[in-house]
Amino acid sequence: MKKNRTNATTYDDKSDGDDEIISIFSLVRKCFGNTAGVLTGLLFLLLIKATLVAQLSKVGVLLEEIDILNLGLHRGLFTILFSSIVATTCLVRKQRSIERINDVLTSTMLLSFASVVALASRSGWSLDGLNHINYKSLFPSVGGGESPWVVPIFIQLLLYNEVVPLISDRLGDEKKVRRAILFGSSIPLLMCLMWTCIALGIVPYDPSLFDCRSSNPIYDPLSRLGERVLTKGGSIGKLFLASVNIMAGSAICTTVFGSILATIQYLDDVIANSFGARRGRNNRISKIAKHAFAIIPSVCVAVLGSKELYYHATAFAGEFPCTFLFGLIPPLCNLRLRWTQKEQGESIRLKHVTSQVLLATVSAAILAVCRLSKQQH
């Protein structure tokens, strides 16, 4: 399941005379210059592409397994069909309309998650399964180990700093922004923890199930979840499995919508900063070209890749682009802006500087450990 990115990445509807667009490109460009802005923007595109590859790969696998209409299509064709529908919706619908679609999908995801929690105890869940949790994967294995480090995957799933500019713009008040971020971030964190307990309680961790043929072995409780709940849960197990699929499907849809819109936002920001106006934004050919760029490269990789591409792409996105962009860059930009304020004679609080230095240090440490782990493997 992937976090909801749609509202986090859409730009607010402005009047035609307002050319201000916020993205990490314009932020870094303001703090560190054009070159840094361009390089960071390219890294942002890489993160979005990796996110799309992961989600499109997963949706193809899910649709192939479910295949309600008995179409008998290959997962690659399902991926292309799904991508075409979402991209066309983004192309022909207005921004507010897409946000309303996202609201429906988000509500569906929350309702299906509540159903999963309610049905877990009658679908084979056992407290004994939690006694077999593999806590070793929470720590990096720089000497080479059985399983990959899971922290980068959780970073990719739960980190969404791209929401902050939109929230700040919509709410305007600092206290409201803080409350919105605190409340909004606590929901996916709680859902992630609860889902982990449910999944591992039904399908306990078993190291013998690793795919030893892979150079980067993956243990996936979801691959055995269907069989276990149908065996132990009967009709309740079928309802449980349906809830899981609905939850995963709605989460994937919101992520794909948001990733496409995030790419469009970035391209519009580059155009606005390069030409000083929204040149070509309302041109039909330009609009089609931007949407095609947003989705087609990721679709090609997802179709040609393996079924395990979701995990590899998610881990990669968390290991470098996500940690760098939203763990290291924001505190560096914050420190740069505060230094500018100090040069202008304004006072700055030590606790603000300390927190930013700490965040930057932790992010740099994660990047270093991921790099060292890759070299060891």
Side-chain angles (χ1 to χ4, degrees):
M1 185 178 68
K2 185 69 174 67
K3 62 181 177 258
N4 178 349
R5 285 182 180 267
T6 304
N7 283 336
T9 52
T10 56
Y11 52 80
D12 194 13
D13 290 338
K14 305 282 186 180
S15 62
D16 292 338
D18 188 357
D19 297 326
E20 180 182 1
I21 309 171
I22 299 175
S23 79
I24 197 165
F25 165 74
S26 54
L27 174 62
V28 176
R29 184 172 180 261
K30 177 181 179 180
C31 293
F32 300 107
N34 289 332
T35 302
V38 171
L39 294 176
T40 304
L42 293 175
L43 189 60
F44 175 76
L45 281 180
L46 179 62
L47 169 62
I48 295 298
K49 297 305 178 187
T51 300
L52 270 174
V53 166
Q55 298 305 305
L56 295 177
S57 173
K58 191 64 175 180
V59 78
V61 174
L62 288 176
L63 290 176
E64 184 183 37
E65 292 177 352
I66 300 173
D67 197 7
I68 300 177
L69 300 178
N70 295 320
L71 299 177
L73 299 179
H74 182 266
R75 63 180 178 84
L77 294 177
F78 275 117
T79 298
I80 294 174
L81 179 61
F82 172 83
S83 303
S84 301
I85 294 174
V86 175
T88 301
T89 302
C90 291
L91 182 63
V92 301
R93 306 290 290 187
K94 293 183 179 180
Q95 194 76 37
R96 294 294 185 182
S97 177
I98 296 176
E99 290 188 3
R100 285 193 290 269
I101 293 174
N102 173 70
D103 291 339
V104 174
L105 290 170
T106 302
S107 300
T108 301
M109 180 182 65
L110 294 174
L111 290 174
S112 59
F113 180 79
S115 176
V116 166
V117 174
L119 297 173
S121 62
R122 300 186 61 184
S123 302
W125 188 87
S126 171
L127 185 62
D128 182 64
L130 301 182
N131 296 329
H132 303 283
I133 294 178
N134 177 32
Y135 293 102
K136 292 182 179 179
S137 60
L138 295 175
F139 302 95
S141 177
V142 295
E146 287 184 328
S147 59
W149 192 24
V150 299
V151 169
I153 295 179
F154 276 99
I155 290 176
Q156 165 66 351
L157 292 177
L158 298 175
L159 193 63
Y160 52 102
N161 274 21
E162 64 267 43
V163 72
V164 176
L166 180 65
I167 291 179
S168 301
D169 183 65
R170 290 254 175 113
L171 299 181
D173 182 73
E174 183 177 352
K175 291 184 179 180
K176 292 181 179 179
V177 171
R178 289 180 182 273
R179 286 197 297 266
I181 293 175
L182 179 61
F183 179 73
S185 60
S186 63
I187 294 177
L189 177 61
L190 181 61
M191 290 176 65
C192 183
L193 293 174
M194 294 178 66
W195 167 246
T196 301
C197 291
I198 290 172
L200 293 179
I202 295 177
V203 186
Y205 172 78
D206 185 355
S208 65
L209 296 178
F210 276 113
D211 184 3
C212 300
R213 297 169 295 178
S214 173
S215 60
N216 187 22
I218 294 172
Y219 174 74
D220 181 15
L222 193 60
S223 63
R224 298 179 62 230
L225 184 63
E227 177 185 351
R228 291 292 293 268
V229 298
L230 291 179
T231 300
K232 292 190 173 184
S235 59
I236 297 296
K238 292 181 180 179
L239 182 58
F240 177 89
L241 190 59
S243 299
V244 171
N245 289 328
I246 294 173
M247 178 177 65
S250 55
I252 289 173
C253 287
T254 59
T255 302
V256 175
F257 272 121
S259 297
I260 294 175
L261 295 175
T263 305
I264 304 302
Q265 177 191 15
Y266 168 78
L267 295 175
D268 287 338
D269 192 26
V270 171
I271 293 173
N273 280 277
S274 300
F275 302 103
R278 295 184 175 187
R279 182 174 300 180
R281 176 178 291 187
N282 296 321
N283 182 283
R284 181 178 295 273
I285 296 178
S286 174
K287 191 175 181 181
I288 294 175
K290 286 184 289 187
H291 281 77
F293 174 77
I295 190 71
I296 291 179
S298 299
V299 172
C300 293
V301 176
V303 170
L304 297 175
S306 66
K307 288 187 176 182
E308 291 77 24
L309 189 58
Y310 169 80
Y311 301 97
H312 296 300
T314 303
F316 165 76
E319 284 173 357
F320 180 60
C322 198
T323 303
F324 185 85
L325 287 172
F326 300 133
L328 187 60
I329 289 296
L332 292 180
C333 290
N334 187 286
L335 291 172
R336 180 72 179 94
L337 293 173
R338 291 187 183 278
W339 181 260
T340 301
Q341 291 177 347
K342 184 178 180 181
E343 290 179 335
Q344 296 174 351
E346 299 182 24
S347 61
I348 57 176
R349 295 183 179 181
L350 180 60
K351 66 176 183 178
H352 290 162
V353 176
T354 304
S355 63
Q356 299 303 315
V357 172
L358 178 61
L359 177 57
T361 303
V362 171
S363 301
I366 292 176
L367 289 170
V369 170
C370 289
R371 178 63 179 171
L372 181 60
S373 179
K374 286 290 185 181
Q375 291 178 345
Q376 293 293 334
H377 281 85

